[in-house]
Amino acid sequence: MDTLKTSSMRYSDEVPEGVAPEIVSALAGFAVQWSGGAGAPHPHQDRYPGVLVKREDWLPAISALRDGAGLIWLVDHTAVDYPARRPARFTVVCILMNMATQARLIVKSRVAEGESIASLTGLWHAANWAERETFDMFGIAFEGHPDLTRIFMPEDYDGFPMRRDFPLQGHLRFQD
Amino acid sequence: MATQTADMLEATGSSEGSFLLSSVQAMANWSRKNSVWPLPLGLSCCGIEFMATAMSRYDMARFGMEVARFSPRQADLLLVAGTLTYKMAHVMTRLYDQMAEPKWVIAMGACASSGGMFRSYPVVQGIDEFVPVDFYIPGCPPRPDAVLTCLIELQKKIDKDRSYRLSFSAEKVEGQTPLVEQTQLPGRGEGPAVAMATAGEHFGEDGPQKRAFRGIKPEEVR
């Protein structure tokens, strides 16, 4: 549970209200922390419920959610950089949706610089380009991705532009 | 090489309209400047303004430039219209390399000239990071009038080209071929400056012809 420990009040062991019981039961075998939801105490917290899973549980937990809780649609898949947070500065985020009930769930996991996380391309082909973009912008490697190359920036580009420590005014390679 | 213009012939009253004496250089410049075939690299909204320039309201065909060639082999003018990203820059340099000499480049609009308002990680801060540029058109995007003005200025520049005047009398340097003689061009200073080139360097990306044309001294060419 070390990687799930957090000092903020965002996360707790309590399941937020409005989370379907099949989601809770699908995640029964995993150590998770919950956040957000319709009754979120903090005004800036997500109205959609969120769940933080361990890095090694990323693929099995999402696989269980897809097959056991009907969250069949990968709405979005990206990452966030918190450069001051140690040891894991990145949060990898994916948003899942149940097309029958319209329920959404935000699944997160934390990755340190230089660590990798499992690819979701085995579950959704749609994850392919999203993970390439996350790799391109943040430098997070995805294990099991069929073609983990840069997608937006040229292949010889130096640096990962969406990291917070990247120069704000751009990476001017040819500056004098 | 003696040059006689039609006006001189007409003034002397001889051979009226039957033949014309000129230099190869003058003939080449005349034909080149009236048939500049552009390769439009339309990358964003500037591309739309270029299309307006080519259409009947502004009618680029009046200057012999209506034949937009989408093959670099057949184009004389690379018109970079819009925001160039680093990923696209490789494409642009490849297009430029494939164009045959003589060739000219116009940076159309703020983005192509300087990166424009996009001072960020993917945008090239001016295409002159990669290719030599003859003209920059200001505007975001420039009106078709501005594009036409630039094309007319380009015609004037082509008309001043002297690269055909090979310098046979200039002093020879061992192993090098004199390529370009800069004679007394208006505004170009005095005296003959000869750009020298070794074999194989003649038609490079930023070759001596281009550099001599921009008034760079021969010792800088080597």
Side-chain angles (χ1 to χ4, degrees), chain B:
Chain B
M1 191 185 293
T3 305
Q4 275 186 297
T5 63
D7 289 348
M8 291 164 61
L9 288 172
E10 205 169 322
T12 53
S14 66
S15 317
E16 192 177 351
S18 59
F19 65 92
L20 179 72
L21 285 181
S22 178
S23 66
V24 176
Q25 180 72 66
M27 281 297 292
N29 287 353
W30 173 78
S31 57
R32 278 174 183 169
K33 77 170 186 180
N34 288 305
S35 65
V36 179
W37 289 5
L39 167 67
L41 188 58
L43 299 168
S44 54
C45 43
C46 281
I48 307 296
E49 292 299 310
F50 173 78
M51 292 171 211
T53 314
M55 287 297 122
S56 54
R57 185 176 181 89
Y58 293 95
D59 197 11
M60 215 163 68
R62 290 178 291 159
F63 309 102
M65 296 179 183
E66 77 279 15
V67 194
R69 287 287 129 171
F70 296 96
S71 162
R73 309 278 187 195
Q74 302 170 341
D76 310 299
L77 166 68
L78 178 62
L79 204 149
V80 183
T83 315
L84 185 74
T85 58
Y86 279 113
K87 196 164 189 176
M88 194 68 186
H90 302 272
V91 179
M92 185 194 68
T93 48
R94 175 173 288 191
L95 287 172
Y96 179 79
D97 290 343
Q98 290 183 354
M99 289 166 66
E101 292 272 6
K103 51 189 170 185
W104 297 273
V105 179
I106 289 178
M108 178 179 171
C111 290
S113 302
S114 69
M117 60 179 172
F118 304 107
R119 190 167 173 77
S120 69
Y121 61 91
V123 177
V124 175
Q125 304 295 303
I127 64 167
D128 47 12
E129 281 183 18
F130 292 96
V131 295
V133 177
D134 294 281
F135 285 98
Y136 302 84
I137 312 180
C140 186
R143 284 180 55 86
D145 323 22
V147 182
L148 286 180
T149 306
C150 180
L151 294 176
I152 292 167
E153 289 298 318
L154 177 68
Q155 287 187 321
K156 290 178 188 169
K157 180 171 185 174
I158 294 172
D159 204 29
K160 288 178 188 167
D161 185 41
R162 292 293 181 272
S163 55
Y164 261 70
R165 290 192 176 180
L166 294 178
S167 169
F168 296 109
S169 59
E171 48 184 314
K172 299 288 194 294
V173 177
E174 194 66 36
Q176 290 185 329
T177 315
L179 252 196
V180 180
E181 182 193 18
Q182 281 197 324
T183 49
Q184 296 186 6
L185 303 179
R188 281 279 169 78
E190 300 288 316
V194 184
M196 314 297 288
T198 51
E201 208 190 339
H202 295 198
F203 300 108
E205 177 182 289
D206 193 11
Q209 186 183 5
K210 196 98 186 172
R211 279 181 282 196
F213 191 65
R214 297 160 142 222
I216 296 175
K217 294 287 183 297
E219 52 269 28
E220 296 170 17
V221 173
R222 275 196 288 275

Side-chain angles (χ1 to χ4, degrees), chain A residues 108-172:
Chain A
K108 307 173 190 178
S109 186
R110 290 175 177 176
V111 183
E113 198 169 341
E115 281 183 342
S116 60
I117 193 167
S119 168
L120 301 183
T121 46
L123 303 178
W124 291 280
H125 289 306
N128 188 321
W129 282 14
E131 286 176 353
R132 280 180 66 188
E133 179 186 349
T134 308
F135 167 73
D136 194 355
M137 295 290 138
F138 294 93
I140 300 170
F142 290 90
E143 279 170 48
H145 193 285
D147 177 30
L148 194 65
T149 52
R150 286 187 181 271
I151 187 169
F152 289 146
M153 306 308 296
E155 278 169 24
D156 57 351
Y157 196 77
D158 184 24
F160 301 104
M162 283 296 151
R163 289 187 177 185
R164 299 274 173 157
D165 47 12
F166 195 85
L168 189 63
Q169 289 213 326
H171 190 51
L172 307 180

Side-chain angles (χ1 to χ4, degrees), chain A residues 82-105:
Chain A
Y82 300 99
R85 195 175 67 194
R86 290 291 180 270
R89 64 184 282 186
F90 301 111
T91 299
V92 178
V93 184
C94 80
I95 304 175
L96 306 178
M97 186 170 181
N98 185 330
M99 298 298 284
T101 65
Q102 310 292 305
R104 287 176 188 236
L105 181 69

